[in-house]
Amino acid sequence: MAAMQVAESLPGGQARDVPREPPPEQGSRFRCLSARLCALRPDDSSSARTEIHLLFDQLISENYGEVGGVAPEDVSALLVQACRLVPLNQNHLVSKVSQLIHHLLNRLQLLQNALKGIQSLLNGGKMKLTQTEELGALLAVLKKSMFHGLPGLNIELPTVLYPTLLPQYDGRPPVKPQQSESNTSRPTVNKKKKSKVKSRKIQQEEEEEESSGEREAAPITGSGKENLREGSTPCSSSLGVRSLPVEGSSMAGRDRVSTPFRSASWKKVSSSESDYSDAEGGMQSKMRSYQAKVRQGALACFLSTIKSIEKKVLYGYWSAFVPDTAELGSPQSVSLMTLTLKDPSPKTRACALQVLSAILEGSKQFLSVAEDTSDHRRAFTPFSVMIASSIRELHRCLLLALVAESSSQTLTQIIKCLANLVSNSPYNRLKLSLLTKVWNQIKPYIRHKDVNVRVSSLTLLGAIVSTHAPLPEVQLLLQQPCSSGLSNSNSATPHLSAPDWWKKAPSGPFLEEASVSSPKGSSEPCWLIRLCISTVVLPKEESCSSSDAGCAAGSIYEPSPMRLEALQVLAHLAKGYFSMAQVYLMELGEVICKCMGEADPSIQLHGAKLLEELGTGLIQQYKPDSTIAPDQRVPVTVVVMFWTMMLNGPLPRALQNSEHPTLQASTCDALSSILPEAFSSLPSDRQILCITMLLGLNDSKNRLVKAATSRALGVYVLFPCLRQDVIFVADTANAILMSLQDKSLNVRAKAAWSLGNLTDTLIVNMETPDPSFQEEFSGLLLLKMLRSAIEASRDKDKVKSNAVRALGNLLHFLQPSHIEKPRFAEIIEESIQALISTVLNEAAMKVRWNACYAVGNVFKNPALPLGTAPWTSQAYNALTSVVTSCKNFKVRIRSATALSIPSKREQYGSAEQYVQIWNALVTALQKSEDTTDFLEFKYCASLRTQICQALIHLLSLASASDLPCIRETLESNGDMVQSFILQFLKSGAEGDDTGAPHSLHERDQMVRTALEHIGSIQALAGDSAKRAIMDFLEDTLTIYFDSSGSQVALLGLTDR
């Protein structure tokens, strides 16, 4: 009933027709009785006791479930007076006071139940917050309730909160499983589920535990504003925290206050409360507990609201709930951080942090606009500066909360919230030192007595090393001396060991090999890598405490969550800071072997993930465009030793462990990250082992395994030592074709990608002098591949994009001996029609781009009858349609590129077809800036470059019958075309076109070649088109050479 009553008062409520008619006189009757009681003075006479009995009976008889207009402070004042009037030796009166407390405090439960009702409506999807007024009204109610009963705070809010207009951005959050209902109001980790129905004894114990974790809170002054500073001191006494350094200095750990918020206490909320009796204190504790539950209910309801609306809508209310840096001396609006720093209930603080984490989760794109600036003289504050200020304030407040917190569960939530903030903040656009402060503050908590705090601390360190990696600031932090920040004492971390505890290392033969793999000039060892390795492989230093969730009985190692998080941090370091991780390559290999040899599948899985990241890092070092100096790379000999250790260890067993398909799939991914140069140097039996296992696993009935295997085969088929092996390529092709028929979209998508790679291999083999591969490759298998690719081109976009890529490569690969056979004629026609259809269809732009690329590949095969076949005009019409009208400029560029590929005039077909292509390109040049999407403007220059190249290419192939139409176009659009060709000629020198495919000399040489070709054409008698076109080209070159100051280049033109 309570939920329905509150819900109907909201615009989005579902119970507007529920009647509610509370007796109007009940509120006034309560105040009358309360006034009579407050007028009494302590008196032990029988008449006084009788009057008190009568008033208590009247108060108890009231129906408080429907009373309106009675403030909580009135209830509190009445109960205080009742406790003063009743002597403790009067058992009957004490009993009646207890009944009265029970009846009056149950009234507070009305608000609790109402909030629970709203939360249920939100979770069940019955409350649709589609209108701004509806959402704003709900958020206003929730914000008011979030601060209910907080000492000294009397917040005044409008009835509706309105959003702030935000810059346009895509606010779609990453798809993640929603948090269960039971977790919304209980921010604990690794706890067993409890029964919903609890005995009174259990509830009492929970309340006692809650009150024992309460901290003393400073009063909050102001109406809706909170003064978090005094003067210019960033950490003022109004926070209740004395001299808390957050700058990451050496004093950060030494001068922290062990008992936070000592500046005031609950008993100092008002002067009249100083002489409470024990009974009165117990009643106040009960009242505080009820008020805390209201705040927790409001926060849980807010969490459900966050999950039921889009993030881009939520971020319109960012400033209403997230703090920002106020101007010096001005008050700061109350926010979720107010509760985190001031609320005396650890559970409420944890709930507020959980809500803040939900807001921060998926906020990367919203926060990406943040930018620090030193210009304070502006008339207004830009949105980017405001967001940067908010990010800084979040860092400051969360670090204050970190050093002040005494509850382990709330401490865990603070660190998790920091990890969310770090993961989503654009540090590459912010001033330095934010991460340094977080880094130095969190290091001591790695050895906290509570395992959940230790795990979340590692999570935060992992977030730091993975955000916008590599960051120079983090690079410096990783190179800090091992003892930096870990030897400080802190009351919250009483289990810190000796300063050199992390230096312990697993012993083994890899230590000598690790030194071999160290590149020249490597810095001192990375303490974080040492820490993570020690956490994974070293026995724990002391027995597992009761709080160490995940620590199996009799286990000698750290709890499983700690080891898993350490492995994840190592994977982040290998991905973002490989230059640090490569120093430990062989040592990390030993760690991986140990993990993959354990019984716990989770440890095995994380070991495989680490192996994949290390393998990927090694591949990146040896890429052609790598900027890593050769003497800084891990030598191939060491990489071979590393992978030999892997293949001689438990990796093959994990790959064949059918009981754990996720582990199998992850191991397949790891195996596909082997460096090609190292694979060719492996012993032949190890190479055969890899290939045999992958081909065998392709028959797996598990879709995860099958998808991973298909992808791995697609990687191996590109290896130089394997791609000319006809038998291996054929076996891989058959395996991929089988996977293309799978029911799983993911399997088919991976198989299509691998088929594209395999056909890339066919093209590479065409370019080798040895024709044996083309001769030995089965024509029947080619037919099967073409049929499968055609079928896949009709699949979903994930499959289609690579299927058309494969079709283009296959049609390019076909030899004259294949094309001459009648059985190929029909499949060739069908393949080309599939490509043309994909070019014209309104599919995903990536699909259309690949289709245009594939058509260009078809044009490269001189054995195909391009120009005479019926499909010629269809292919050109599709490309010209795209180049003039496609919304995506990258697709237009690719279609213009395809139109410039044919190398002979006859391949462009009839004069009408040639002119249609020419006119389409001129039109495309005119429309090269016509777009409503500002994101496409950055491709304008590249599009014009490609179109100009195509036009000049067409001129260099033109025949006498083409010249009249070309002249006609130049007469009407010559100035426009010439201006863009001049831009094309100059762009290489000016460097304003990164998409330019030719150097400066090559560009003007293209125009010269076209001019010479036009001059060599035998024009019809009386036809002036040839002269007009030559004049146009000569004039263009003259203007270009004049502007570039090159007179020598004009010598060849003056004779004409």
Side-chain angles (χ1 to χ4, degrees):
M1 175 63 74
M4 301 300 285
Q5 290 171 355
V6 174
E8 72 173 348
S9 68
L10 296 172
Q14 301 292 314
R16 296 179 182 274
D17 54 345
V18 177
R20 184 188 67 170
E21 297 180 1
E25 71 280 0
Q26 285 187 350
S28 59
R29 285 180 61 186
F30 172 83
R31 283 186 287 274
C32 179
L33 293 171
S34 176
R36 287 172 57 191
L37 187 68
C38 290
L40 298 178
R41 293 292 176 265
D43 189 351
D44 200 26
S45 64
S46 60
S47 61
R49 288 198 300 270
T50 302
E51 187 173 3
I52 292 172
H53 269 294
L54 180 61
L55 285 172
F56 281 178
D57 288 337
Q58 289 177 301
L59 285 166
I60 291 172
S61 65
E62 293 292 331
N63 183 7
Y64 295 106
E66 296 182 357
V67 171
V70 180
E73 51 267 28
D74 295 336
V75 176
S76 179
L78 182 141
L79 294 178
V80 169
Q81 176 68 0
C83 292
R84 285 174 176 166
L85 292 174
V86 175
L88 295 180
N89 59 357
Q90 296 291 329
N91 294 333
H92 191 52
L93 280 176
V94 171
S95 175
K96 285 201 173 181
V97 170
S98 300
Q99 292 181 48
L100 181 60
I101 290 173
H102 175 74
H103 278 277
L104 288 174
L105 292 185
N106 274 345
R107 180 187 170 277
L108 284 176
Q109 291 180 345
L110 174 67
L111 184 52
Q112 294 179 41
N113 293 332
L115 290 168
K116 288 179 181 177
I118 296 172
Q119 185 182 2
S120 298
L121 292 173
L122 288 166
N123 291 340
K126 295 179 180 178
M127 184 180 285
K128 304 296 183 184
L129 302 171
T130 55
Q131 300 298 322
T132 302
E133 293 279 342
E134 296 175 356
L135 178 59
L138 174 60
L139 293 178
V141 170
L142 293 179
K143 185 168 183 180
K144 177 84 174 177
S145 302
M146 280 191 290
F147 299 99
H148 178 80
L150 205 59
L153 180 64
N154 182 21
I155 183 171
E156 295 295 334
L157 285 173
T159 55
V160 179
L161 294 180
Y162 291 98
T164 304
L165 293 177
L166 301 178
Q168 181 183 1
Y169 81 104
D170 184 2
R172 290 171 293 182
V175 179
K176 288 188 179 180
Q178 285 198 348
Q179 193 171 1
S180 62
E181 173 65 25
S182 61
N183 289 337
T184 57
S185 61
R186 295 190 177 275
T188 58
V189 292
N190 295 328
K191 289 251 183 175
K192 294 183 179 179
K193 292 183 178 178
K194 297 182 180 179
S195 170
K196 291 183 179 178
V197 182
K198 299 178 182 177
S199 67
R200 184 173 299 177
K201 181 179 179 181
I202 295 176
Q203 289 179 341
Q204 182 180 358
E205 288 174 355
E206 285 185 349
E207 289 172 1
E208 289 174 358
E209 181 184 352
E210 175 84 6
S211 62
S212 68
E214 289 180 357
R215 65 186 180 199
E216 299 167 347
I220 308 171
T221 58
S223 176
K225 294 283 183 181
E226 177 185 19
N227 190 1
L228 294 184
R229 296 176 187 77
E230 290 182 2
S232 60
T233 306
C235 309
S236 72
S237 60
S238 66
L239 280 171
V241 181
R242 220 169 3 97
S243 302
L244 295 178
V246 293
E247 301 301 318
S249 64
S250 60
M251 298 294 289
R254 194 176 303 129
D255 292 343
R256 291 175 188 158
V257 181
S258 59
T259 53
F261 295 92
R262 286 193 177 277
S263 62
S265 69
W266 275 98
K267 294 184 179 180
K268 296 178 184 177
V269 173
S270 68
S271 59
S272 62
E273 295 174 7
S274 58
D275 53 351
Y276 283 169
S277 66
D278 291 342
E280 293 165 357
M283 182 273 295
Q284 287 292 316
S285 177
K286 188 88 170 177
M287 176 69 79
R288 292 200 303 269
S289 175
Y290 276 113
Q291 290 171 337
K293 287 180 180 177
V294 169
R295 297 196 296 274
Q296 292 159 21
L299 289 166
C301 193
F302 189 21
L303 192 61
S304 295
T305 305
I306 291 171
K307 293 178 180 178
S308 64
I309 60 177
E310 292 184 27
K311 281 295 177 73
K312 64 181 179 182
V313 176
L314 171 67
Y315 293 143
Y317 300 91
W318 174 271
S319 59
F321 298 97
V322 180
D324 59 354
T325 305
E327 294 296 328
L328 189 63
S330 63
Q332 186 177 31
S333 300
V334 291
S335 66
L336 288 167
M337 285 311 307
T338 307
L339 291 172
T340 302
L341 290 167
K342 302 246 180 190
D343 201 293
S345 164
K347 187 173 180 181
T348 309
R349 298 196 296 271
C351 286
L353 288 160
Q354 192 177 18
V355 171
L356 182 58
S357 285
I359 293 174
L360 290 171
E361 188 175 357
S363 63
K364 181 174 287 188
Q365 192 166 6
F366 170 69
L367 297 180
S368 65
V369 301
E371 187 169 16
D372 271 322
T373 178
S374 56
D375 183 9
H376 299 292
R377 293 173 295 178
R378 300 187 182 187
F380 67 96
T381 303
F383 180 74
S384 59
V385 175
M386 187 195 77
I387 294 298
S389 171
S390 185
I391 292 173
R392 285 196 306 272
E393 185 66 7
L394 278 171
H395 280 78
R396 189 186 73 86
C397 291
L398 285 171
L399 289 178
L400 282 176
L402 182 70
V403 297
E405 189 54 63
S406 57
S407 165
S408 293
Q409 291 180 3
T410 310
L411 193 59
T412 301
Q413 288 298 327
I414 292 172
I415 300 173
K416 285 183 176 179
C417 195
L418 270 169
N420 251 332
L421 176 61
V422 167
S423 297
N424 292 283
S425 296
Y427 294 101
N428 54 335
R429 295 169 60 90
L430 301 173
K431 293 178 182 177
L432 297 178
S433 81
L434 283 179
L435 283 175
T436 301
K437 294 173 185 176
V438 176
W439 182 275
N440 291 332
Q441 290 284 89
I442 199 59
K443 283 169 79 172
Y445 292 90
I446 297 167
R447 298 293 291 171
H448 194 275
K449 62 183 178 181
D450 187 279
V451 67
N452 294 318
V453 175
R454 301 203 301 271
V455 171
S456 57
S457 299
L458 278 177
T459 303
L460 176 53
L461 287 171
I464 292 174
V465 299
S466 61
T467 184
H468 297 281
L471 285 174
E473 183 180 0
V474 176
Q475 188 89 27
L476 291 173
L477 291 172
L478 289 170
Q479 294 170 350
Q480 281 182 350
C482 292
S483 58
S484 175
L486 284 171
S487 59
N488 296 329
S489 60
N490 188 292
S491 61
T493 58
H495 287 262
L496 278 176
S497 303
D500 61 348
W501 63 270
W502 60 86
K503 294 182 181 176
K504 298 176 183 177
S507 59
F510 55 80
L511 289 177
E512 183 179 347
E513 294 165 341
S515 63
V516 176
S517 66
S518 300
K520 268 189 183 178
S522 60
S523 59
E524 72 167 85
C526 174
W527 71 268
L528 184 55
I529 294 180
R530 302 297 316 147
L531 163 69
C532 292
I533 291 176
S534 301
T535 302
V536 174
V537 302
L538 285 184
K540 60 179 181 288
E541 295 179 354
E542 53 191 55
S543 59
C544 205
S545 68
S546 58
S547 66
D548 280 1
C551 186
S555 173
I556 63 171
Y557 297 109
E558 285 283 347
S560 182
M562 275 289 290
R563 302 179 71 207
L564 293 175
E565 203 61 49
L567 285 168
Q568 236 174 346
V569 173
L570 287 173
H572 289 319
L573 284 165
K575 184 176 183 180
Y577 300 89
F578 186 77
S579 61
M580 308 287 291
Q582 73 182 69
V583 180
Y584 298 87
L585 182 63
M586 299 306 295
E587 189 171 350
L588 289 171
E590 190 99 354
V591 172
I592 293 167
C593 287
K594 176 175 176 50
C595 290
M596 297 191 74
E598 292 192 19
D600 186 349
S602 297
I603 298 290
Q604 291 178 299
L605 181 64
H606 280 71
K609 293 286 186 185
L610 175 57
L611 175 58
E612 182 184 359
E613 292 297 350
L614 288 171
T616 303
L618 290 166
I619 290 173
Q620 295 294 330
Q621 282 195 339
Y622 280 86
K623 279 193 170 181
D625 58 350
S626 173
T627 58
I628 307 297
D631 63 339
Q632 293 295 319
R633 299 173 184 172
V634 179
V636 174
T637 53
V638 175
V639 182
V640 172
M641 287 166 47
F642 174 80
W643 278 105
T644 302
M645 176 169 61
M646 295 295 104
L647 293 170
N648 289 339
L651 188 144
R653 274 200 314 276
L655 202 59
Q656 296 171 320
N657 189 350
S658 57
E659 293 181 4
H660 299 288
T662 305
L663 175 61
Q664 281 184 293
S666 187
T667 310
C668 275
D669 291 336
L671 201 59
S672 66
S673 67
I674 187 169
L675 182 70
E677 292 89 337
F679 184 87
S680 61
S681 300
L682 285 174
S684 58
D685 62 328
R686 299 297 91 183
Q687 293 184 18
I688 294 171
L689 175 67
C690 293
I691 294 168
T692 305
M693 287 191 298
L694 289 177
L695 288 172
L697 283 174
N698 195 70
D699 295 328
S700 172
K701 299 215 181 334
N702 185 276
R703 294 171 181 177
L704 282 176
V705 178
K706 200 163 188 176
T709 306
S710 294
R711 181 188 173 279
L713 287 172
V715 172
Y716 275 46
V717 80
L718 294 174
F719 284 3
C721 63
L722 294 176
R723 65 187 176 207
Q724 289 190 324
D725 186 334
V726 177
I727 296 176
F728 169 72
V729 174
D731 288 344
T732 301
N734 283 312
I736 290 170
L737 295 181
M738 184 175 68
S739 295
L740 270 176
Q741 308 301 318
D742 197 88
K743 294 180 180 179
S744 167
L745 174 61
N746 189 39
V747 173
R748 298 198 306 275
K750 299 291 186 186
W753 179 82
S754 294
L755 182 62
N757 283 6
L758 189 146
T759 56
D760 285 342
T761 290
L762 299 183
I763 301 303
V764 171
N765 288 336
M766 277 180 65
E767 297 167 358
T768 58
D770 185 6
S772 60
F773 182 90
Q774 294 95 301
E775 295 169 357
E776 295 176 17
F777 198 79
S778 168
L780 185 60
L781 183 55
L782 274 176
L783 277 174
K784 286 174 62 179
M785 292 167 70
L786 281 166
R787 289 195 183 98
S788 293
I790 292 170
E791 186 179 348
S793 70
R794 304 185 184 108
D795 206 329
K796 304 290 185 184
D797 284 351
K798 283 185 177 181
V799 180
K800 188 184 297 185
S801 61
N802 283 298
V804 294
R805 175 165 73 102
L807 271 178
N809 283 335
L810 288 169
L811 290 170
H812 183 191
F813 179 77
L814 290 179
Q815 306 300 305
S817 58
H818 300 132
I819 296 171
E820 292 167 359
K821 296 178 181 177
R823 62 182 179 179
F824 273 89
E826 184 179 348
I827 200 73
I828 290 172
E829 175 73 23
E830 193 176 348
S831 300
I832 294 174
Q833 291 300 330
L835 291 178
I836 293 170
S837 173
T838 308
V839 169
L840 293 172
N841 283 346
E842 291 297 327
M845 293 307 169
K846 180 181 178 181
V847 176
R848 298 184 75 183
W849 189 96
N850 276 356
C852 292
Y853 183 86
V855 173
N857 260 343
V858 175
F859 290 172
K860 292 177 182 178
N861 190 340
L864 290 172
L866 177 63
T868 58
W871 49 262
T872 299
S873 60
Q874 293 175 284
Y876 284 130
N877 290 341
L879 292 173
T880 53
S881 172
V882 168
V883 81
T884 56
S885 62
C886 184
K887 295 178 181 178
N888 186 283
F889 276 24
K890 291 176 79 173
V891 178
R892 288 198 202 183
I893 293 168
R894 181 46 57 188
S895 62
T897 304
L899 287 170
S900 63
I901 285 176
S903 56
K904 297 178 181 178
R905 169 60 187 85
E906 53 268 25
Q907 290 180 318
Y908 282 101
S910 64
E912 291 78 10
Q913 183 71 63
Y914 176 95
V915 169
Q916 188 259 338
I917 296 170
W918 171 268
N919 288 334
L921 288 169
V922 172
T923 302
L925 200 57
Q926 284 178 311
K927 297 167 65 176
S928 60
E929 291 183 352
D930 294 350
T931 179
T932 57
D933 188 350
F934 71 95
L935 294 176
E936 296 297 327
F937 279 113
K938 61 183 176 182
Y939 301 113
C940 286
S942 295
L943 174 60
R944 290 193 290 267
T945 294
Q946 199 57 59
I947 293 174
C948 287
Q949 182 187 344
L951 286 171
I952 296 168
H953 177 72
L954 283 172
L955 283 175
S956 66
L957 298 178
S959 63
S961 59
D962 303 325
L963 299 183
C965 292
I966 294 174
R967 181 190 63 179
E968 183 180 341
T969 304
L970 292 178
E971 285 175 352
S972 56
N973 297 289
D975 290 343
M976 181 271 297
V977 174
Q978 187 178 70
S979 67
F980 284 125
I981 290 179
L982 286 170
Q983 284 184 22
F984 166 72
L985 291 171
K986 295 176 184 178
S987 58
E990 297 172 0
D992 59 357
D993 182 14
T994 56
H998 297 282
S999 68
L1000 182 64
H1001 174 71
E1002 288 174 325
R1003 292 185 181 203
D1004 68 65
Q1005 186 58 45
M1006 286 175 63
V1007 180
R1008 286 169 174 272
T1009 302
L1011 178 58
E1012 291 171 2
H1013 172 74
I1014 297 295
S1016 67
I1017 295 175
Q1018 297 295 325
L1020 300 175
D1023 187 0
S1024 60
K1026 173 181 174 180
R1027 183 68 260 169
I1029 296 171
M1030 290 181 66
D1031 288 344
F1032 171 82
L1033 292 174
E1034 288 174 356
D1035 187 44
T1036 302
L1037 286 172
T1038 300
I1039 295 172
Y1040 167 65
F1041 290 131
D1042 281 345
S1043 63
S1044 62
S1046 174
Q1047 298 299 323
V1048 178
L1050 291 173
L1051 294 177
L1053 299 176
T1054 52
D1055 294 338
R1056 299 181 195 277

mmCIF file of all heavy atoms in Angstrom, residues 516-533:
data_model
loop_
_atom_site.group_PDB
_atom_site.id
_atom_site.type_symbol
_atom_site.label_atom_id
_atom_site.label_comp_id
_atom_site.label_asym_id
_atom_site.label_seq_id
_atom_site.Cartn_x
_atom_site.Cartn_y
_atom_site.Cartn_z
ATOM 1 N N VAL A 516 68.892 -13.465 -20.488
ATOM 2 C CA VAL A 516 69.238 -13.481 -21.909
ATOM 3 C C VAL A 516 68.230 -12.670 -22.709
ATOM 4 O O VAL A 516 68.557 -11.979 -23.665
ATOM 5 C CB VAL A 516 69.290 -14.930 -22.436
ATOM 6 C CG1 VAL A 516 69.544 -14.938 -23.937
ATOM 7 C CG2 VAL A 516 70.378 -15.709 -21.711
ATOM 8 N N SER A 517 66.951 -12.752 -22.300
ATOM 9 C CA SER A 517 65.899 -12.079 -23.058
ATOM 10 C C SER A 517 65.805 -10.599 -22.762
ATOM 11 O O SER A 517 65.051 -9.895 -23.397
ATOM 12 C CB SER A 517 64.535 -12.719 -22.763
ATOM 13 O OG SER A 517 64.167 -12.491 -21.414
ATOM 14 N N SER A 518 66.553 -10.116 -21.761
ATOM 15 C CA SER A 518 66.498 -8.695 -21.424
ATOM 16 C C SER A 518 67.110 -7.880 -22.550
ATOM 17 O O SER A 518 68.237 -8.120 -22.951
ATOM 18 C CB SER A 518 67.257 -8.429 -20.128
ATOM 19 O OG SER A 518 66.693 -9.157 -19.067
ATOM 20 N N PRO A 519 66.374 -6.891 -23.071
ATOM 21 C CA PRO A 519 66.942 -6.066 -24.131
ATOM 22 C C PRO A 519 67.980 -5.119 -23.575
ATOM 23 O O PRO A 519 68.095 -4.925 -22.383
ATOM 24 C CB PRO A 519 65.720 -5.292 -24.651
ATOM 25 C CG PRO A 519 64.814 -5.220 -23.477
ATOM 26 C CD PRO A 519 65.034 -6.497 -22.702
ATOM 27 N N LYS A 520 68.720 -4.519 -24.477
ATOM 28 C CA LYS A 520 69.762 -3.582 -24.071
ATOM 29 C C LYS A 520 69.146 -2.395 -23.350
ATOM 30 O O LYS A 520 68.099 -1.903 -23.718
ATOM 31 C CB LYS A 520 70.486 -3.074 -25.322
ATOM 32 C CG LYS A 520 71.700 -3.886 -25.688
ATOM 33 C CD LYS A 520 72.441 -3.169 -26.781
ATOM 34 C CE LYS A 520 73.633 -3.982 -27.245
ATOM 35 N NZ LYS A 520 74.329 -3.324 -28.339
ATOM 36 N N GLY A 521 69.825 -1.926 -22.330
ATOM 37 C CA GLY A 521 69.394 -0.714 -21.647
ATOM 38 C C GLY A 521 68.123 -0.857 -20.854
ATOM 39 O O GLY A 521 67.450 0.125 -20.616
ATOM 40 N N SER A 522 67.723 -2.067 -20.471
ATOM 41 C CA SER A 522 66.492 -2.227 -19.706
ATOM 42 C C SER A 522 66.668 -1.647 -18.320
ATOM 43 O O SER A 522 67.730 -1.699 -17.731
ATOM 44 C CB SER A 522 66.114 -3.704 -19.608
ATOM 45 O OG SER A 522 67.137 -4.422 -18.962
ATOM 46 N N SER A 523 65.589 -1.064 -17.794
ATOM 47 C CA SER A 523 65.645 -0.409 -16.488
ATOM 48 C C SER A 523 65.601 -1.458 -15.395
ATOM 49 O O SER A 523 65.525 -2.655 -15.649
ATOM 50 C CB SER A 523 64.477 0.554 -16.362
ATOM 51 O OG SER A 523 63.262 -0.158 -16.516
ATOM 52 N N GLU A 524 65.598 -0.984 -14.140
ATOM 53 C CA GLU A 524 65.575 -1.922 -13.027
ATOM 54 C C GLU A 524 64.258 -2.685 -13.014
ATOM 55 O O GLU A 524 63.274 -2.255 -13.608
ATOM 56 C CB GLU A 524 65.780 -1.172 -11.718
ATOM 57 C CG GLU A 524 64.588 -0.339 -11.274
ATOM 58 C CD GLU A 524 64.743 0.121 -9.836
ATOM 59 O OE1 GLU A 524 65.385 1.158 -9.624
ATOM 60 O OE2 GLU A 524 64.237 -0.577 -8.955
ATOM 61 N N PRO A 525 64.209 -3.833 -12.348
ATOM 62 C CA PRO A 525 63.020 -4.681 -12.400
ATOM 63 C C PRO A 525 61.754 -3.943 -11.990
ATOM 64 O O PRO A 525 61.769 -3.046 -11.162
ATOM 65 C CB PRO A 525 63.360 -5.795 -11.405
ATOM 66 C CG PRO A 525 64.838 -5.835 -11.362
ATOM 67 C CD PRO A 525 65.288 -4.427 -11.566
ATOM 68 N N CYS A 526 60.663 -4.338 -12.607
ATOM 69 C CA CYS A 526 59.358 -3.729 -12.334
ATOM 70 C C CYS A 526 58.758 -4.370 -11.088
ATOM 71 O O CYS A 526 58.495 -5.575 -11.070
ATOM 72 C CB CYS A 526 58.446 -3.926 -13.541
ATOM 73 S SG CYS A 526 56.762 -3.385 -13.282
ATOM 74 N N TRP A 527 58.527 -3.551 -10.055
ATOM 75 C CA TRP A 527 58.049 -4.100 -8.779
ATOM 76 C C TRP A 527 56.664 -4.720 -8.918
ATOM 77 O O TRP A 527 56.346 -5.690 -8.242
ATOM 78 C CB TRP A 527 58.030 -3.008 -7.701
ATOM 79 C CG TRP A 527 56.955 -1.976 -7.902
ATOM 80 C CD1 TRP A 527 57.055 -0.802 -8.562
ATOM 81 C CD2 TRP A 527 55.608 -2.062 -7.424
ATOM 82 N NE1 TRP A 527 55.862 -0.139 -8.547
ATOM 83 C CE2 TRP A 527 54.950 -0.881 -7.842
ATOM 84 C CE3 TRP A 527 54.891 -3.002 -6.693
ATOM 85 C CZ2 TRP A 527 53.616 -0.625 -7.557
ATOM 86 C CZ3 TRP A 527 53.558 -2.746 -6.403
ATOM 87 C CH2 TRP A 527 52.923 -1.574 -6.834
ATOM 88 N N LEU A 528 55.819 -4.173 -9.816
ATOM 89 C CA LEU A 528 54.464 -4.709 -9.952
ATOM 90 C C LEU A 528 54.483 -6.109 -10.561
ATOM 91 O O LEU A 528 53.721 -6.992 -10.152
ATOM 92 C CB LEU A 528 53.617 -3.758 -10.806
ATOM 93 C CG LEU A 528 52.137 -4.138 -10.971
ATOM 94 C CD1 LEU A 528 51.456 -4.310 -9.621
ATOM 95 C CD2 LEU A 528 51.408 -3.087 -11.808
ATOM 96 N N ILE A 529 55.366 -6.316 -11.523
ATOM 97 C CA ILE A 529 55.491 -7.664 -12.097
ATOM 98 C C ILE A 529 56.010 -8.637 -11.045
ATOM 99 O O ILE A 529 55.522 -9.764 -10.920
ATOM 100 C CB ILE A 529 56.417 -7.643 -13.331
ATOM 101 C CG1 ILE A 529 55.778 -6.815 -14.458
ATOM 102 C CG2 ILE A 529 56.705 -9.065 -13.830
ATOM 103 C CD1 ILE A 529 56.605 -6.719 -15.714
ATOM 104 N N ARG A 530 57.007 -8.186 -10.254
ATOM 105 C CA ARG A 530 57.523 -9.046 -9.182
ATOM 106 C C ARG A 530 56.419 -9.396 -8.188
ATOM 107 O O ARG A 530 56.300 -10.534 -7.730
ATOM 108 C CB ARG A 530 58.661 -8.346 -8.438
ATOM 109 C CG ARG A 530 59.845 -7.940 -9.293
ATOM 110 C CD ARG A 530 60.577 -9.101 -9.929
ATOM 111 N NE ARG A 530 60.796 -10.196 -9.011
ATOM 112 C CZ ARG A 530 60.808 -11.472 -9.382
ATOM 113 N NH1 ARG A 530 60.615 -11.789 -10.648
ATOM 114 N NH2 ARG A 530 61.027 -12.431 -8.521
ATOM 115 N N LEU A 531 55.604 -8.381 -7.841
ATOM 116 C CA LEU A 531 54.507 -8.597 -6.899
ATOM 117 C C LEU A 531 53.532 -9.644 -7.435
ATOM 118 O O LEU A 531 53.138 -10.578 -6.721
ATOM 119 C CB LEU A 531 53.771 -7.279 -6.652
ATOM 120 C CG LEU A 531 52.378 -7.384 -6.017
ATOM 121 C CD1 LEU A 531 52.490 -7.844 -4.578
ATOM 122 C CD2 LEU A 531 51.644 -6.058 -6.102
ATOM 123 N N CYS A 532 53.137 -9.495 -8.704
ATOM 124 C CA CYS A 532 52.142 -10.402 -9.280
ATOM 125 C C CYS A 532 52.691 -11.825 -9.403
ATOM 126 O O CYS A 532 51.974 -12.796 -9.142
ATOM 127 C CB CYS A 532 51.686 -9.875 -10.642
ATOM 128 S SG CYS A 532 50.738 -8.345 -10.534
ATOM 129 N N ILE A 533 53.936 -11.944 -9.816
ATOM 130 C CA ILE A 533 54.535 -13.273 -9.912
ATOM 131 C C ILE A 533 54.573 -13.926 -8.537
ATOM 132 O O ILE A 533 54.228 -15.109 -8.377
ATOM 133 C CB ILE A 533 55.945 -13.189 -10.525
ATOM 134 C CG1 ILE A 533 55.857 -12.793 -12.009
ATOM 135 C CG2 ILE A 533 56.678 -14.517 -10.386
ATOM 136 C CD1 ILE A 533 57.204 -12.598 -12.674
#
